[in-house]
Amino acid sequence: MENHEHVHKPEVQETIQDIVRAMSAKGWRITDQRKKLAALFAESPGYLSPKDVYEYMRASYPGVSFDTVYRNLRLLSEMGVLEQIYLNEGLKFRARCRSHHHHHLICMQCEKTVPFEFCPMKHMSNFPQDFQVVNHRFDILGYCSDCSEAAKSGGTTDSLVPEA
């Protein structure tokens, strides 16, 4: 679990409340275990793999299974409180941004995320007439300046080297 940005306490509490409200709205019993899961995502500015979450939860709840953790992550993603993306080691999750509508630049090496304000949906109009857009995501994947510089100077960013 990498720390990419400083998270302010009031925002952490609001994110926890959002996640707990979503759970409650779906009829989930709000247990200490689920509150701990909500707090993990609220406090983590980066993406977490299901394995990261499982290991974190297992430290406090040794009886928790990986399947239960994974199922909860997928359900929370379907509820819209977690975002999911495929990155270096596979599927990862993070808390949905609470602020205004924006999108992200995501470094494929260090997973740093940088918000940007432009939304391409405002410029798209050629959808089929019978298709109702409910939500959308737009992420740009690439390499941040730190990872690009490390690759140029012979650093340890092996994934930037094209495969033969």
Side-chain angles (χ1 to χ4, degrees), residues 15-76:
T15 300
I16 292 171
Q17 290 171 2
D18 282 352
I19 295 171
V20 168
R21 270 194 296 270
M23 291 175 180
S24 184
K26 287 290 185 180
W28 291 18
R29 203 165 43 95
I30 305 305
T31 62
D32 287 341
Q33 190 172 346
R34 288 182 171 148
K35 288 178 190 173
K36 188 169 185 78
L37 181 65
L40 170 64
F41 279 100
E43 293 168 0
S44 178
Y47 288 91
L48 300 171
S49 72
K51 183 181 176 198
D52 293 333
V53 178
Y54 170 66
E55 289 174 358
Y56 175 83
M57 295 300 290
R58 192 175 63 166
S60 298
Y61 305 97
V64 71
S65 74
F66 180 81
D67 288 345
T68 297
V69 168
Y70 188 78
R71 186 172 49 255
N72 277 277
L73 295 176
R74 292 303 298 244
L75 290 170
L76 289 168

Side-chain angles (χ1 to χ4, degrees), residues 47-50 70 74 77 83-94 106-109 111 137 139-142:
Y47 288 91
L48 300 171
S49 72
Y70 188 78
R74 292 303 298 244
S77 180
E83 297 175 1
Q84 65 179 34
I85 192 167
Y86 285 92
L87 289 171
N88 300 329
E89 301 95 40
L91 184 62
K92 294 196 173 188
F93 298 86
R94 69 176 271 160
I106 303 170
C107 180
M108 296 180 344
Q109 179 64 33
E111 300 178 5
R137 286 196 48 190
D139 297 320
I140 297 176
L141 303 177

Side-chain angles (χ1 to χ4, degrees), residues 72-142:
N72 277 277
L73 295 176
R74 292 303 298 244
L75 290 170
L76 289 168
S77 180
E78 288 173 15
M79 288 178 206
V81 294
L82 294 185
E83 297 175 1
Q84 65 179 34
I85 192 167
Y86 285 92
L87 289 171
N88 300 329
E89 301 95 40
L91 184 62
K92 294 196 173 188
F93 298 86
R94 69 176 271 160
R96 176 182 52 87
C97 293
R98 298 192 74 258
S99 64
H100 65 285
H101 182 77
H102 64 274
H103 296 284
H104 297 110
L105 300 167
I106 303 170
C107 180
M108 296 180 344
Q109 179 64 33
C110 69
E111 300 178 5
K112 176 181 179 182
T113 61
V114 179
F116 66 95
E117 304 303 320
F118 176 77
C119 180
M121 288 297 287
K122 295 174 185 174
H123 305 284
M124 299 180 76
S125 60
N126 294 332
F127 295 116
Q129 285 184 335
D130 59 347
F131 190 82
Q132 179 185 0
V133 176
V134 176
N135 198 357
H136 71 276
R137 286 196 48 190
F138 184 73
D139 297 320
I140 297 176
L141 303 177

